[in-house]
Amino acid sequence: MERDLTKGSIARTMLLFALPMMLGNLLQQVYNIADTIIVGRFIDANALAAVGSAYTLMTFLTSVILGLCMGCGALFSTYYGAGKMDQLKESIWVSFWLILFVTVVIYFVVFSATDGILRLLQVPEEVYSSMYTYVRIIFFGIGFTFFYNFFAFVMRSAGDSVTPLVFLTLSTILNIILDLWFVIGLRMGVGGAAAATVTAQGVAGIGIALTALIKMPLLRIGKQHRIIRREMVAQVGNYACLTCLQQSTMNFGILMIQGLVNSFGATIMAAFAVAVKIDTLAYMPLQEFGNAFSLFISQNHGAEKKTVCGRVFESLSASRSYLASWSPSSYGFLRVNSCLCLSAQKKSPSSPPVCATCALRARSTGESAVYSSSTACTAQSESPPCLWC
């Protein structure tokens, strides 16, 4: 459902546009947490460490694609707001092939250098085989990630943030069902968890691509728009590269930290994997609201609604404290629920240290969230027992 972001009440239009994106981001975290819960509970701590370490690697790789799609989405939104359909179609054509090329390069690098990447990340020997199996399968999902994010941002640039949410919801449900079937029913181990995720990503990526091509006339690109001009390549590259750098820099830093964490062994790796999930939940809504804000401003900028842009900035400043309150609130919720430790089975002797380390990291995450949002929150001093262990 396309929505004109340049008309109507600013607050209402922005909220209706942003909420599906924020909910979709939350579902993505559920998507990742499902693997962590099932692997941690029904395999062992080494498998949890492997899946958790692979998560930070995949987050970095997908952040490159996500950043490129975000930047192109802002350009699409600007042209859509300005009503420049010829330039919009040309920019979509150029962007698709540019990001597809980057995706192919990523495929080549990760499949040809898997051993080198894992060695660089200092993966312990007891975890190495499980992580190798997991990443070799999960890498196939990179292409589906490209399809989903590219067509999702094309739809969002036209004001439709609901359709991507629908496919993400279906993908999340499918992922959880297949996780349970492959890991518990078929006993496929970490390979089953990876296969479940890739299958779910494929459904979301192919499904949204077909839906967008059928529903959106602007994606029916004629021969006159299937050209690659130097000026358009430069403009697309300018938008895409800056947001790619912005998205990937932080995730690259986390990946480097993951390499240091891996050197301490499987127990610390498993604890760090759980804590990263909590950390992601803490900053997720603010990040996705920022993405929605970017597309909203871009469409109004293209329509030359400068007054609207100014009023949106004022509204954002007024709502900043409310949005920031999510981080400590989510932290408090997780603390009440025993820090969301998703580690090994009850019979595993590694569970107690995993729980203790996870609790320490979770407390640090919460304190950072409190500091960054300038919101008062009292952290508990004791490490709570793990809810699942």
Side-chain angles (χ1 to χ4, degrees):
M1 180 182 66
E2 295 184 18
R3 180 187 299 275
D4 191 339
L5 302 180
T6 66
K7 298 178 180 179
S9 167
I10 294 177
R12 184 175 183 275
T13 303
M14 182 67 192
L15 190 63
L16 290 176
F17 180 65
L19 280 179
M21 293 180 63
M22 296 172 71
L23 182 57
N25 196 290
L26 180 61
L27 284 172
Q28 284 185 312
Q29 309 318 314
V30 173
Y31 200 102
N32 296 317
I33 287 174
D35 276 349
T36 310
I37 293 175
I38 295 169
V39 168
R41 291 292 292 163
F42 296 100
I43 306 181
D44 55 33
N46 285 346
L48 176 61
V51 172
S53 188
Y55 171 77
T56 57
L57 173 59
M58 285 301 298
T59 299
F60 167 68
L61 294 175
T62 56
S63 70
V64 174
I65 297 174
L66 177 61
L68 292 172
C69 292
M70 281 177 57
C72 293
L75 181 60
F76 301 158
S77 192
T78 301
Y79 281 140
Y80 186 88
K84 299 178 179 179
M85 293 301 153
D86 289 336
Q87 291 92 326
L88 174 58
K89 291 182 178 182
E90 185 181 343
S91 65
I92 290 174
W93 178 258
V94 172
S95 299
F96 178 84
W97 291 109
L98 171 65
I99 304 175
L100 179 62
F101 172 76
V102 174
T103 302
V104 172
V105 171
I106 292 175
Y107 265 128
F108 175 77
V109 172
V110 296
F111 278 111
S112 62
T114 304
D115 279 310
I117 293 171
L118 298 189
R119 297 299 179 191
L120 180 64
L121 292 177
Q122 304 182 68
V123 178
E125 290 301 324
E126 65 268 26
V127 178
Y128 191 91
S129 61
S130 294
M131 186 169 174
Y132 185 89
T133 300
Y134 186 84
V135 298
R136 292 290 288 189
I137 298 173
I138 207 73
F139 283 157
F140 283 103
I142 293 174
F144 297 133
T145 299
F146 156 62
F147 274 104
Y148 175 81
N149 282 289
F150 181 81
F151 287 101
F153 273 99
V154 170
M155 288 185 153
R156 290 166 182 164
S157 69
D160 182 4
S161 59
V162 175
T163 302
L165 174 62
V166 171
F167 283 99
L168 197 55
T169 302
L170 292 174
S171 178
T172 299
I173 295 172
L174 179 62
N175 182 49
I176 294 173
I177 293 173
L178 291 179
D179 259 336
L180 293 170
W181 183 30
F182 290 170
V183 175
I184 303 173
L186 301 181
R187 299 184 181 279
M188 294 173 62
V190 294
T197 299
V198 171
T199 302
Q201 289 174 335
V203 169
I206 295 174
I208 196 173
L210 293 175
T211 301
L213 290 170
I214 293 171
K215 286 180 58 178
M216 303 186 71
L218 62 88
L219 286 174
R220 295 162 196 164
I221 300 176
K223 185 176 180 181
Q224 70 273 24
H225 300 122
R226 293 198 294 268
I227 56 176
I228 299 179
R229 295 185 298 111
R230 181 180 300 178
E231 295 81 2
M232 183 57 73
V233 172
Q235 190 169 23
V236 168
N238 184 44
Y239 274 78
C241 291
L242 288 176
T243 51
C244 175
L245 183 63
Q246 174 189 342
Q247 287 291 309
S248 60
T249 299
M250 183 185 73
N251 290 307
F252 180 75
I254 295 174
L255 183 62
M256 294 298 97
I257 294 173
Q258 179 72 63
L260 177 62
V261 169
N262 292 349
S263 67
F264 292 107
T267 297
I268 303 300
M269 287 175 67
F272 186 79
V274 175
V276 164
K277 302 297 189 299
I278 301 173
D279 195 29
T280 304
L281 285 171
Y283 67 76
M284 171 272 301
L286 291 174
Q287 175 177 297
E288 200 61 22
F289 183 84
N291 295 340
F293 177 78
S294 173
L295 295 173
F296 185 89
I297 287 292
S298 296
Q299 196 174 120
N300 279 276
H301 176 72
E304 298 186 351
K305 296 288 187 71
K306 297 181 180 179
T307 303
V308 172
C309 293
R311 290 173 61 190
V312 169
F313 278 110
E314 292 176 2
S315 300
L316 178 64
S317 298
S319 62
R320 181 173 54 190
S321 60
Y322 168 75
L323 292 170
S325 68
W326 172 280
S327 294
S329 297
S330 61
Y331 162 73
F333 172 79
L334 295 174
R335 294 289 292 173
V336 169
N337 286 276
S338 303
C339 86
L340 191 62
C341 184
L342 313 172
S343 62
Q345 304 174 61
K346 294 180 181 180
K347 63 184 180 181
S348 173
S350 65
S351 294
V354 170
C355 288
T357 308
C358 176
L360 178 62
R361 170 66 193 270
R363 185 159 55 243
S364 299
T365 298
E367 289 165 355
S368 297
V370 172
Y371 176 78
S372 63
S373 62
S374 302
T375 304
C377 178
T378 303
Q380 299 176 15
S381 58
E382 69 279 0
S383 297
C386 175
L387 185 61
W388 282 274
C389 295

